[in-house]
């Protein structure tokens, strides 16, 4: 009679990965111990472990980049469910699997944004928020996208103060971001809805002064009229 398999906990998975890393580092040490002893003993063992980790992470990032490139065609044509699930028949990983397998790499972090966007476009706001909130990459434009994604979630819940603060933070991530004007406009609108007229005025005036040629600036005056004293 078959017995039910014991479910492996997240803690056990993390511990297993830690043990695997340890033994790979130990294997590196055994293969290169003569040189290691020559250059300083235990300090170099630590360096070897770090080197292995960085090298392995770079390789994983390359794999993630390759897989992300394959599935983006589905995302770009608006096939969001396919983008999430992938195309198993063609051995193309979906965004969900890329994030699960390579989420700790920089490309894996980027995949989180595309995954969150896909869920958002499908109206699955809770799933979208989860991945926007989980983004921790270094790219400032994607960081702004994550913040704005969370802001949109709070806006949909009528939590206007949270939404406004996040839209404002998104607008200040990168000066080169083409969406900064839109983020400032959304910040201003949400500050108005939150009853924060001074903050709304400040955000809207920044938009008007700094992004004179943007499409968002066309709407500024009607919102500024709402916050005139």
């Amino acid at each position: 009679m078959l017995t039910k398999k014991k479910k492996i906990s997240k803690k056990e998975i993390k511990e297993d990965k830690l043990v695997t890393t340890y033994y790979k580092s130990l294997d590196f040490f055994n293969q290169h111990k003569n040189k290691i002893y020559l250059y300083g003993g235990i300090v170099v063992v630590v360096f070897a472990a770090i080197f292995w980790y960085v090298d392995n992470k770079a390789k994983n990032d390359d794999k993630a980049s390759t897989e992300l490139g394959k599935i983006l065609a589905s995302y770009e044509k608006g096939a969001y469910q396919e983008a999430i699930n992938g195309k198993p028949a063609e051995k193309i990983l979906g965004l969900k699997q890329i994030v699960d397998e390579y989420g700790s790499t920089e490309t894996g972090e980027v995949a989180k944004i595309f995954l969150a966007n896909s869920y958002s476009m499908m109206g699955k706001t809770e799933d979208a928020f989860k991945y926007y909130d989980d983004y921790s990459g270094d790219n400032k434009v994607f960081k702004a996208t994550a913040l704005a994604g969370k802001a949109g979630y709070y806006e949909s819940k009528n939590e206007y103060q949270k939404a406004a603060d996040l839209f404002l933070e998104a607008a200040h991530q990168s000066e080169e971001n083409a969406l900064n004007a839109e983020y400032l406009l959304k910040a201003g609108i949400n500050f108005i809805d939150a009853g924060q007229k001074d903050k709304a005025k400040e955000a809207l005036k920044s938009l008007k002064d700094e992004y004179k040629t943007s499409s968002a600036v066309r709407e500024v005056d009607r919102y500024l009229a709402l916050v005139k004293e």
Side-chain angles (χ1 to χ4, degrees), residues 11-199:
K11 181 180 179 182
E12 288 173 318
I13 292 171
K14 287 181 179 178
E15 289 174 347
D16 182 64
K17 287 182 178 178
L18 185 61
V19 171
T20 301
T21 299
Y22 169 77
Y23 281 115
K24 285 185 177 179
S25 299
L26 188 61
D27 183 58
F28 183 99
F29 169 75
N30 288 330
Q31 290 180 41
H32 300 84
K33 56 185 176 182
N34 290 334
K35 290 182 179 179
I36 287 171
Y37 286 134
L38 180 64
Y39 289 105
I42 194 65
V43 173
V44 184
V45 176
V46 175
F47 176 79
I50 294 171
F51 175 82
W52 178 86
Y53 171 78
V54 172
D55 183 61
N56 190 59
K57 189 172 182 180
K59 289 177 181 176
N60 284 337
D61 193 58
D62 287 341
K63 291 178 184 177
S65 296
T66 299
E67 296 298 339
L68 183 59
K70 292 178 184 177
I71 199 61
L72 280 183
S74 297
Y75 176 90
E76 289 169 355
K77 70 180 182 182
Y80 299 114
Q81 191 65 63
E82 182 177 271
I84 293 169
N85 295 336
K87 302 164 77 173
E90 299 177 38
K91 296 183 178 179
I92 296 177
L93 302 185
L95 293 168
K96 179 69 167 60
Q97 190 173 350
I98 293 171
V99 170
D100 288 344
E101 294 186 12
Y102 304 106
S104 62
T105 67
E106 188 61 30
T107 301
E109 292 289 347
V110 172
K112 289 178 186 177
I113 297 299
F114 286 108
L115 179 58
N117 286 349
S118 296
Y119 280 128
S120 182
M121 294 300 291
M122 294 174 64
K124 297 182 177 181
T125 56
E126 298 294 336
D127 289 322
F129 180 87
K130 172 185 173 182
Y131 289 103
Y132 285 134
D133 192 46
D134 196 44
Y135 179 79
S136 59
D138 295 327
N139 186 291
K140 294 297 184 182
V141 173
F142 287 123
K143 174 65 173 177
T145 302
L147 290 166
K150 292 196 293 182
Y153 171 84
Y154 285 121
E155 184 179 37
S156 72
K157 301 291 185 181
N158 298 330
E159 295 186 48
Y160 301 118
Q161 183 69 56
K162 287 183 179 179
D165 289 336
L166 286 166
F167 275 126
L168 190 62
E169 188 177 353
H172 292 150
Q173 291 301 305
S174 170
E175 293 180 1
E176 287 74 37
N177 195 337
L179 293 175
N180 284 345
E182 185 66 30
Y183 294 154
L184 284 171
L185 179 63
K186 295 288 286 182
I189 293 170
N190 277 277
F191 276 131
I192 291 172
D193 290 335
Q196 299 285 327
K197 290 188 176 182
D198 289 340
K199 289 185 176 181

